[in-house]
Amino acid sequence: MELIKVEQLIKRFDDLVAVDRVNFAIEEGEIFGFLGPNGAGKTTTLSILSTLLKPTSGKAWVNGYDVETQKSQVRQSIGVVFQDPTLDEELTARENMDIHGRLYGMKHRREKIDALLNLVELDNRKNQLVKQFSGGMKRRLEIARGLLHEPRILFLDEPTLGLDPQTRNHLWDYIRELNQKKGVTIILTTHYMDEAEKLSDRVAIIDHGRIIALDTPGALKEQLGGSMIRIESHESGKVSEKLSGLQWLSNLNAHNGYVDVTLQNAEKRIAEVIKALNDVPVESVSLQIPTLEDVFLSYTGRTIRDQEASARDRIRQRRKAARR
């Protein structure tokens, strides 16, 4: 069942096209990731789906409701964890949760609050002021708060931005548990490759407002031709000659000093490659598995870090022009 459907979505801010003819659908129970640099259109798309922004043109439905004409129904269907913190730090964790429940008209919310605080391991901190929480604790509280009214869909905008690696991994566990045990459909935006790859059932790579690729992380990487085994040897000709006898090997590129072998599931074949070269002098054998960064690079010709640097330059140029 499709919980989210987007057709030819466009959002313009004056002469800037932030979202450019975007199309996609998200199935119930999915973890769907938007991967791209800052300024690519991820947050703008999420803001339209959560009814915070009105699209310039195109259509979008969330849980079957139109994001423009049925905003109240959409908002009842979703929970949102924004990129910027929205907690009241002068209140306790329980008080933040309670206010959220009151806004949604929840009459019997005490037990639900306690259960969610227990889920994110904050039950022993429920009466502590939020300003005393660490960054990871605040994120966990925001996720718990977003789930209080039992939404079918949870939007997470850069959920681990600024967190240390250990806290990020801890938060990933909570996100998976929500999806697997609670059945919550999750849409997250991120510019972290490992986050998109480890969490998402499918990934939409977005750049300059357009979706340039959409598939499972595995399928996206397979489009590059599979993994690569690199054999470094001063006798690369002999290496090529030996490996050419392997029937399953077809994509072999010999260079001066090394030979590259590209194939699907290369990690399962590396032992056979080493065995075939038992009487050839070899300096090293290494396995290179493609990443989503490689996929992004193959589609755009630039890394996400390069794109983010360019986006910052464009923002500075616009601000400079505005001051003139």
Side-chain angles (χ1 to χ4, degrees), residues 185-200:
T185 300
I186 296 172
I187 298 92
L188 65 92
T189 72
T190 184
H191 64 275
Y192 294 130
M193 300 291 168
D194 53 349
E195 185 159 88
E197 188 163 351
K198 291 181 179 179
L199 285 179
S200 305

Side-chain angles (χ1 to χ4, degrees), residues 68-217:
E68 292 189 80
T69 62
Q70 297 174 294
K71 292 182 179 181
S72 295
Q73 294 93 324
V74 170
R75 291 170 183 170
Q76 286 287 340
S77 303
I78 65 173
V80 184
V81 176
F82 297 99
Q83 183 173 334
D84 297 321
T86 58
L87 297 168
D88 189 328
E89 298 200 348
E90 296 300 324
L91 299 179
T92 66
R94 169 178 280 284
E95 287 169 341
N96 270 278
M97 295 280 284
D98 188 65
I99 288 175
H100 185 82
R102 289 174 184 270
L103 290 173
Y104 276 90
M106 297 178 64
K107 295 181 179 180
H108 306 289
R109 56 189 176 275
R110 186 179 182 86
E111 290 185 2
K112 184 66 176 177
I113 290 172
D114 288 341
L116 285 169
L117 290 175
N118 182 64
L119 174 69
V120 297
E121 297 182 6
L122 289 175
D123 51 316
N124 61 337
R125 303 290 189 99
K126 59 188 175 185
N127 295 317
Q128 185 175 339
L129 294 178
V130 171
K131 65 182 179 182
Q132 299 172 342
F133 282 13
S134 67
M137 291 166 64
K138 290 176 183 177
R139 281 318 241 178
R140 281 150 49 196
L141 178 57
E142 287 184 303
I143 290 174
R145 185 184 62 177
L147 292 169
L148 184 58
H149 60 289
E150 298 185 336
R152 297 185 69 185
I153 303 161
L154 181 64
F155 292 144
L156 302 175
D157 191 11
E158 299 281 0
T160 64
L161 185 65
L163 301 181
D164 63 86
Q166 183 177 2
T167 304
R168 287 178 66 216
N169 278 280
H170 200 191
L171 202 55
W172 291 348
D173 291 337
Y174 289 119
I175 293 171
R176 290 193 197 94
E177 185 173 357
L178 290 175
N179 174 253
Q180 295 171 5
K181 294 186 178 180
K182 300 288 186 179
V184 179
T185 300
I186 296 172
I187 298 92
L188 65 92
T189 72
T190 184
H191 64 275
Y192 294 130
M193 300 291 168
D194 53 349
E195 185 159 88
E197 188 163 351
K198 291 181 179 179
L199 285 179
S200 305
D201 298 311
R202 288 190 301 149
V203 174
I205 297 179
I206 188 168
D207 186 42
H208 296 302
R210 294 186 177 183
I211 292 179
I212 57 176
L214 198 167
D215 213 324
T216 66

Side-chain angles (χ1 to χ4, degrees), residues 224-241:
L224 300 182
S227 307
M228 185 180 76
I229 300 171
R230 172 162 290 182
I231 304 102
E232 294 188 11
S233 172
H234 63 274
E235 296 190 25
S236 54
K238 283 188 178 180
V239 170
S240 297
E241 183 180 345

Side-chain angles (χ1 to χ4, degrees), residues 17-66:
V17 181
V19 178
D20 190 2
R21 291 166 291 171
V22 164
N23 297 277
F24 64 90
I26 300 174
E27 296 289 324
E28 184 175 12
E30 267 195 288
I31 299 181
F32 188 91
F34 273 106
L35 174 65
N38 293 327
K42 307 185 304 293
T43 298
T44 302
T45 302
L46 224 63
S47 296
I48 292 172
L49 294 177
S50 56
T51 75
L52 297 177
L53 283 177
K54 183 178 180 180
T56 303
S57 62
K59 299 290 291 182
W61 297 266
V62 174
N63 197 25
Y65 301 114
D66 188 297

